[in-house]
Amino acid sequence: MSRPTSAAGRLARYGFDVTGTGTVRADDLLGPDGLRLWDVTAQQPVDPPAGELLAALSRAADPDLALRQLHRLVEAEQRHRSDATVSPVLAALYADGGLRRRLIAVLGASSSLGDHLVANPQQWAELATGRNGVAPCADGSLDPGSASSGGPSGGPAPTGGPAIAELRRAYRLALLRIAAADLTGGRGLEQTMAALSALADATLGAAYDIAVAELPAGTPVPRLAVVAMGKCGGNELNYVSDVDVIFVAADDADLTVATTLATRLIHICGLVAWPVDAALRPEGNRGPLVRTLASHLAYYQRWARTWEFQALLKARPAAGDRDLAQEWIGLLAPLVWHAAERPEAVEDVRAMRRRIIDNVPPRELEREIKRGPGGLRDIEFAVQLLQLVHGRVDETLRTPGTLPALRALVAGGYVGRADGEALLRGYRFLRGVEHRLQLQGLRRTHTVPADPAALRWLAHALGYTPTPGASAVEAFRAEWVSHATEVRRLHAKLLYRPLLESVARVPAESLRMTPQAARRRLEVLGFADPAGALRHLEALTGGVSRTAAIQRTLLPVLLQEFADAPEPDRGLLSYRQVSDKLGSTPWYLRLLRDEGPVAGRLARTLGLSRYVADLLAREPEALRMLAVDAELAPQDAAKLAAGFTAVAARHLGTGGGQPADAVQAVRAVRALRRRELLRLACADVLRSAGSLAPDRDDAGPLDIAAIGAGLSAVTDGTLAAALQVATATVPPPAGLRFAVIGMGRLGGYEMSYSSDADVLFVYDPPAGLADDKASAAARAVAEELRRLLGMPAPDPPLGVDADLRPEGRNGPLVRSLAAYAQYYARWSKVWEAQALLRARFVCGDTSLGAEFLAVADPVRYPAGGLSREQIVEIRRIKARVETERLPRGADPATHTKLGRGGLADVEWAVQLTQLRHAHAVPALRDTRTLVALAAAREAGLVDAADAAALRAGWTLAARVRDALMLVRGRASDQLPRHGPELAGVVRLLGASDAGQFLDGYLRTARRCRAAAERVLGA
């Protein structure tokens, strides 16, 4: 494809095709042989009015389509008015800005309406601005006499083809006016839907009149009502849709004649506008087309299914005998408003929704905005089920339209304001997309196109424009994903508060009397195992004890929180387990009932985190900390260390380190660690969920650095206390100094919930003690420390990993300070220098720890930096690690540790910078990744933009890694692409849309990876 010349580029800036790839080039249509709007020589509009028209064309959804259709319209006009020297339509477009906006918008958005205007070139004038600047009427009415001399204007309608042809033209003209107002902002979505529904009513009425006029002379006209159903009944019709109706005859009507009228009406409407669908009638297409009032009532009383009552929610008079239609609606209303009491009603609605999804072709499921997950049907079914349930007593909910009904549900408190607004926004967005899709070709469709060109057209038709950060299509997709995800979430959750609060608040005997109703409600509200959930509720609230009474008071609050979690069943199960352990403890229920935030915080943490649930199940007494905000924060490291050693000393007592004392001491130390992990995890979950007091200065989410430092401080204290117990159990020789050096994430104050403690063990023998005896004594202390912390216990394990020692697993577990110095001076490799960058003293002999770091400093901060060979070696090792250590089946795009843009990318980039420059830049001599990165940025060693990308990538990956552990209760480095675990991570990290979060993660990781490669390759 040739690129446009600079001259043609001027025309291309209007959005036209100038490359010749289309059927006709824009300059041909605009030039002297076409519309004469463009000066080909000067490459500019021929005059200012032509410039205004070109600007209007450029704003159309498809400028080329608008231009082609305008050219066709002018040609058609010239064929009808060959004497005109200046095109009337062009002259009018120059003079009338309102006409210009409306006509060009229609021509650029709908090829079908353009074809209609070409076939009826006089009708463009109907879009002209009237007197006093009034836009043409777009309320859905048919022009008087447009169908015939009778029809909509009153009097008998002529029969046969001419009346139908006139009605078709009148219908298209009214549709043209509605579309013009819609496309130019003259009508909002609800006004547009109402106008389309009114146009359907008028068309049905005109077709009815024509059908009556065609009856043989002298034939008595029966009373026949045409009742609108579906979208038409709800006054929310779209541009192209079947119009659902039910025909009702009076009890004394001649059903043969009535059926003739109904059949002819269906045929006329099919010729004029759209198919009339009467399949919602009793027995569907197998039943008679017309029934009497009595026949209808008998059917609905005896045979009708839940979905048929659900359909009746939108019934309203449309044409024919409206009084009869209203009588029919009133007759059936009592049946509609008792339908929800049927045992199978809720399940019927759920099953119907599932069947609709199952019938969508799999290849279209994610692009279906009507029937697919997160589509219009999700909103409509949720609203209609709420209407059926609550409309029995609340007559404000008895309205046929989805949006009015949703507003009534919000006003009545059945739907939360935020949820209601989210559904309103989702509905408006999805219907807007549907309207633009259908308007283009006046074709029934609900599927977003996959073709890139069609997607671009749709995005432009919806008003999206490119921004520096995203194309119009990307902006549209982002909003679509956001709305669809929210609609999916709320579809399952919408009824939770009004129904499950009722289940929880009724007396226990009433709850047991209606278990099936409670079970149906639990199922509708998102519980995967409603029978199991019902058993938990009955166990918690059964009986007449004070405990049961308090539980009945508490459960509404708790269930509301569980409903918001990705897995409500797990939250309720965890709560029952905690309650079973503490239910007889006097303070437990008092704490939940009387300490305002505790119940909600408990439910939130149990619902969102299996890790917290497991810890609480082992130590439920620790939930007392949920009552005090100050308890939900990392503890001071020095005080924490003192607490651990004090616990160990208290249990060791004066026993001199007997085995029984050591076991009890370490159990106490590990219990304290469990409690501190629970404190950090609860603080992490609740702060992320915004559940702490809003007036506290420190109530915001915990920084990932604070979590890492807190977890590292807990590990430091645990190791110090375990070392205290180990040296009491296997006392080393007098004068032998022993120290534990933290490495890896422990050394960098970057521990996660799942991290092992990477360490080195170092000793220094006293004078006069043989090296072999000193080495054996030090090894005994190290092995005892590891044994004590590795004993089976109901605690999260703390692995003590010494694999970063010289020679790895093949080397001795413990070395003397002199042996470390000799090894690093003679045999160490560059990766060992890299590992030492995170070395710091953790516990043991402080002076020995300082001496070890003095030995390590020349190795990790080498004078003169690294040689080129060493830099190449680091890059080679990193590549090998990525290739060999990424778990089989892992997705490198979303693996938080070894994936692209994960933790390893950032850490290797920072560590290479430290190895190269820390000898000259003291600020780089820090074991913490982000602190060293900031120092590198300040020193100009890493570009500021790259530093920001690296920081963002490392922070996000670390937060996701912690969130995965909190959600799953098990370690994982793989961010899932879908499912409840992803939803839980998204919730924990303060986001609301899983799709947007995943897109954001991938985007951040890509930028991080690119920055890391630049730093590593520099």
Side-chain angles (χ1 to χ4, degrees):
M1 177 180 15
S2 61
R3 299 182 62 184
T5 64
S6 58
R10 297 183 183 180
L11 193 56
R13 282 194 289 271
Y14 285 96
F16 298 122
D17 172 32
V18 296
T19 63
T21 57
T23 55
V24 183
R25 284 168 54 103
D27 46 0
D28 293 334
L29 299 179
L30 291 168
D33 296 328
L35 297 176
R36 303 178 184 178
L37 302 177
W38 188 253
D39 187 330
V40 177
T41 302
Q43 285 298 308
Q44 63 184 18
V46 296
D47 53 32
E52 293 178 1
L53 181 52
L54 284 168
L57 288 165
S58 73
R59 290 189 291 269
D62 186 340
D64 286 302
L65 175 63
L67 175 58
R68 290 196 302 271
Q69 305 228 79
L70 177 60
H71 186 267
R72 291 176 61 213
L73 179 58
V74 170
E75 286 186 330
E77 189 179 53
Q78 288 173 345
R79 286 195 298 270
H80 284 77
R81 305 176 68 169
S82 57
D83 58 331
T85 57
V86 178
S87 167
V89 65
L90 290 179
L93 289 172
Y94 289 155
D96 186 346
L99 171 66
R100 186 164 58 245
R101 287 191 304 275
R102 288 184 284 273
L103 180 57
I104 297 303
V106 169
L107 294 177
S110 177
S111 57
S112 292
L113 287 177
D115 291 341
H116 172 75
L117 284 170
V118 171
N120 299 272
Q122 74 284 357
Q123 285 195 359
W124 63 262
E126 299 292 336
L127 298 182
T129 306
R131 294 180 180 178
N132 302 320
V134 177
C137 175
D139 60 3
S141 60
L142 291 170
D143 282 349
S146 62
S148 65
S149 60
S153 62
T159 62
I164 296 174
E166 286 299 320
L167 179 57
R168 176 177 175 80
R169 281 191 288 271
Y171 171 81
R172 282 299 178 102
L173 177 58
L175 191 66
L176 176 68
R177 290 170 173 166
I178 294 170
D182 178 18
L183 291 166
T184 56
R187 289 288 188 276
L189 173 67
E190 289 181 75
Q191 292 172 304
T192 300
M193 293 190 301
L196 289 167
S197 302
L199 177 57
D201 287 359
T203 307
L204 288 168
Y208 178 85
D209 289 344
I210 294 173
V212 168
E214 290 178 348
L215 290 175
T219 303
V221 179
R223 293 183 66 198
L224 178 66
V226 184
V227 182
M229 304 287 286
K231 289 190 290 292
C232 186
N235 285 304
E236 51 197 25
L237 199 63
N238 44 336
Y239 280 102
V240 184
S241 175
D242 292 353
V243 171
D244 297 307
V245 301
I246 288 179
F247 295 103
V248 183
D251 289 339
D252 59 353
D254 184 334
L255 289 182
T256 301
V257 178
T259 302
T260 299
L261 283 177
T263 303
R264 182 58 176 157
L265 180 147
I266 291 173
H267 180 68
I268 292 169
C269 288
L271 295 174
V272 167
W274 18 248
V276 170
D277 190 344
L280 292 178
R281 67 186 185 268
E283 300 182 80
N285 291 328
R286 292 174 300 175
L289 183 61
V290 181
R291 285 178 184 256
T292 64
L293 277 172
S295 176
H296 274 285
L297 181 60
Y299 174 84
Y300 281 103
Q301 285 176 329
R302 188 172 182 183
W303 303 109
R305 289 171 289 177
T306 304
W307 70 264
E308 293 178 278
F309 292 111
Q310 183 182 352
L312 289 175
L313 289 170
K314 293 191 173 186
R316 66 169 181 83
D321 193 324
R322 292 173 177 266
D323 291 338
L324 178 62
Q326 196 60 58
E327 183 181 355
W328 178 82
I329 291 170
L331 190 67
L332 298 181
L335 301 178
V336 173
W337 301 118
H338 285 87
E341 298 171 2
R342 293 149 60 105
E344 70 280 4
V346 173
E347 176 53 30
D348 282 349
V349 176
R350 297 276 294 178
M352 176 62 73
R353 180 67 187 111
R354 288 194 295 269
R355 283 197 295 273
I356 289 173
I357 291 178
D358 291 343
N359 286 330
V360 179
R363 65 182 182 277
E364 297 178 3
L365 190 62
E366 294 301 318
R367 297 186 289 117
E368 247 275 359
I369 58 171
K370 178 182 177 181
R371 298 175 296 165
L376 289 162
R377 281 287 186 263
D378 273 354
I379 302 173
E380 293 166 354
F381 269 62
V383 169
Q384 289 162 18
L385 185 54
L386 280 171
Q387 286 180 280
L388 286 173
V389 171
H390 299 293
R392 294 171 293 167
V393 294
D394 189 343
E395 294 187 5
T396 66
L397 305 181
R398 300 180 182 182
T399 180
T402 301
L403 293 183
L406 182 53
R407 292 193 186 97
L409 288 165
V410 172
Y414 304 104
V415 176
R417 289 186 177 88
D419 290 349
E421 281 300 317
L423 287 172
L424 286 167
R425 289 194 299 270
Y427 187 88
R428 293 191 189 103
F429 173 84
L430 293 168
R431 288 306 300 268
V433 174
E434 183 183 47
H435 279 190
R436 293 298 172 268
L437 285 171
Q438 295 185 348
L439 190 58
Q440 185 182 28
L442 290 184
R443 183 174 59 89
R444 184 180 181 183
T445 180
H446 316 283
T447 306
V448 174
D451 176 65
L455 260 180
R456 284 194 298 272
W457 174 88
L458 178 60
H460 292 151
L462 289 166
Y464 292 94
T465 56
T467 64
S471 68
V473 170
E474 289 171 333
F476 161 67
R477 279 190 178 278
E479 189 165 355
W480 177 24
V481 168
S482 174
H483 284 300
T485 303
E486 188 71 354
V487 168
R488 279 199 303 270
R489 181 180 74 85
L490 292 176
H491 172 72
K493 179 229 175 182
L494 186 59
L495 301 183
Y496 190 87
R497 291 189 177 101
L499 288 186
L500 280 192
E501 285 180 5
S502 298
V503 173
R505 287 174 179 166
V506 294
E509 62 272 20
S510 298
L511 184 62
R512 285 197 299 270
M513 286 175 61
T514 58
Q516 292 306 314
R519 177 175 176 171
R520 288 195 302 273
R521 291 172 179 176
L522 287 164
E523 184 175 6
V524 167
L525 298 170
F527 280 80
D529 180 14
L534 182 59
R535 288 194 296 272
H536 296 320
L537 289 175
E538 290 175 328
L540 290 165
T541 62
V544 295
S545 67
R546 184 173 179 81
T547 295
I550 296 176
Q551 287 283 19
R552 286 195 293 271
T553 302
L554 291 170
L555 275 168
V557 177
L558 302 174
L559 290 172
Q560 177 176 327
E561 295 295 343
F562 296 144
D564 287 333
E567 295 182 278
D569 302 76
R570 181 165 292 279
L572 180 57
L573 171 62
S574 298
Y575 175 71
R576 183 183 173 186
Q577 292 171 338
V578 172
S579 295
D580 286 347
K581 288 195 174 185
L582 292 177
S584 60
T585 306
W587 59 264
Y588 169 61
L589 288 178
R590 273 205 313 270
L591 179 73
L592 296 184
R593 182 194 62 192
D594 299 332
E595 295 292 336
V598 176
R601 290 175 177 178
L602 175 62
R604 203 158 298 138
T605 52
L606 292 177
L608 290 175
S609 175
R610 295 189 190 185
Y611 184 81
V612 169
D614 291 343
L615 290 175
L616 266 178
R618 294 164 182 163
E619 188 170 346
E621 293 84 358
L623 67 84
R624 291 176 185 268
M625 69 177 65
L626 298 179
V628 182
D629 285 356
E631 290 287 316
L632 297 172
Q635 302 297 290
D636 177 80
K639 292 182 179 179
L640 196 60
F644 273 97
T645 54
V647 165
R650 185 165 61 249
H651 283 80
L652 285 171
T654 58
Q658 298 301 314
D661 299 327
V663 171
Q664 291 302 318
V666 168
R667 283 179 178 171
V669 167
R670 291 175 63 165
L672 179 57
R673 174 175 178 264
R674 179 177 66 229
R675 184 183 183 89
E676 292 305 319
L677 291 176
L678 180 60
R679 182 198 312 278
L680 281 167
C682 287
D684 200 354
V685 172
L686 294 174
R687 287 168 180 266
S688 296
S691 302
L692 297 187
D695 55 345
R696 284 178 56 87
D697 292 335
D698 60 344
L702 284 176
D703 184 273
I704 187 63
I707 297 171
L711 291 169
S712 299
V714 171
T715 304
D716 285 3
T718 303
L719 289 170
L723 179 60
Q724 181 181 356
V725 176
T727 54
T729 306
V730 286
L736 185 141
R737 297 187 298 162
F738 187 92
V740 179
I741 306 299
M743 302 287 283
R745 302 205 174 283
L746 174 61
Y749 299 96
E750 296 161 356
M751 293 281 284
S752 69
Y753 294 105
S754 58
S755 294
D756 289 338
D758 291 315
V759 300
L760 298 178
F761 297 113
V762 58
Y763 73 94
D764 185 53
L769 182 66
D771 284 344
D772 58 340
K773 292 184 178 180
S775 175
R779 184 173 62 254
V781 171
E783 289 175 345
E784 178 67 359
L785 181 150
R786 299 177 77 187
R787 184 189 72 82
L788 291 170
L789 291 178
M791 290 189 302
D795 306 298
L798 175 62
V800 179
D801 190 340
D803 287 351
L804 291 177
R805 64 186 184 266
E807 300 176 271
R809 295 179 181 178
N810 297 322
L813 178 64
V814 182
R815 286 179 185 258
S816 68
L817 179 65
Y820 274 110
Q822 183 181 33
Y823 177 87
Y824 286 129
R826 297 182 62 182
W827 295 296
S828 70
K829 299 179 181 178
V830 67
W831 71 264
E832 293 174 293
Q834 183 180 354
L836 285 173
L837 287 169
R838 289 185 171 186
R840 67 172 177 87
F841 170 73
V842 169
C843 60
D845 189 282
T846 305
S847 61
L848 178 59
E851 291 167 18
F852 176 88
L853 295 181
V855 168
D857 281 351
V859 181
R860 58 182 174 176
Y861 312 133
L866 298 178
S867 67
R868 181 168 184 80
E869 290 74 17
Q870 289 174 316
I871 295 173
V872 171
E873 175 66 5
I874 287 178
R875 295 171 183 161
R876 186 190 64 79
I877 294 173
K878 181 180 184 302
R880 192 184 72 191
V881 167
E882 278 188 15
T883 302
E884 297 177 359
R885 294 191 183 178
L886 189 69
R888 177 174 295 181
D891 183 353
T894 53
H895 196 275
T896 61
K897 183 178 180 181
L898 298 175
R900 295 188 290 270
L903 297 170
D905 273 352
V906 181
E907 290 161 2
W908 281 69
V910 171
Q911 290 161 13
L912 178 59
T913 304
Q914 289 178 288
L915 289 169
R916 296 177 67 183
H917 301 288
H919 68 282
V921 183
L924 286 173
R925 301 171 191 174
D926 198 294
T927 63
R928 295 166 293 181
T929 299
L930 295 185
V931 173
L933 177 60
R937 182 199 62 215
E938 291 295 324
L941 300 173
V942 175
D943 178 76
D946 284 345
L950 292 170
R951 181 184 182 88
W954 191 92
T955 300
L956 182 57
R959 291 182 70 205
V960 168
R961 194 183 195 208
D962 277 351
L964 282 167
M965 182 66 176
L966 289 172
V967 170
R968 301 177 76 243
R970 304 188 307 277
S972 175
D973 291 312
Q974 185 66 63
L975 176 63
R977 293 275 187 163
H978 51 76
E981 289 181 358
L982 174 62
V985 169
V986 170
R987 290 290 306 282
L988 276 180
L989 298 187
S992 59
D993 184 283
Q996 285 186 348
F997 176 84
L998 193 57
D999 288 345
Y1001 181 92
L1002 295 172
R1003 182 167 56 251
T1004 300
R1006 286 195 299 270
R1007 293 171 179 169
C1008 177
R1009 174 73 166 199
E1013 289 177 343
R1014 285 191 288 271
V1015 174
L1016 286 166

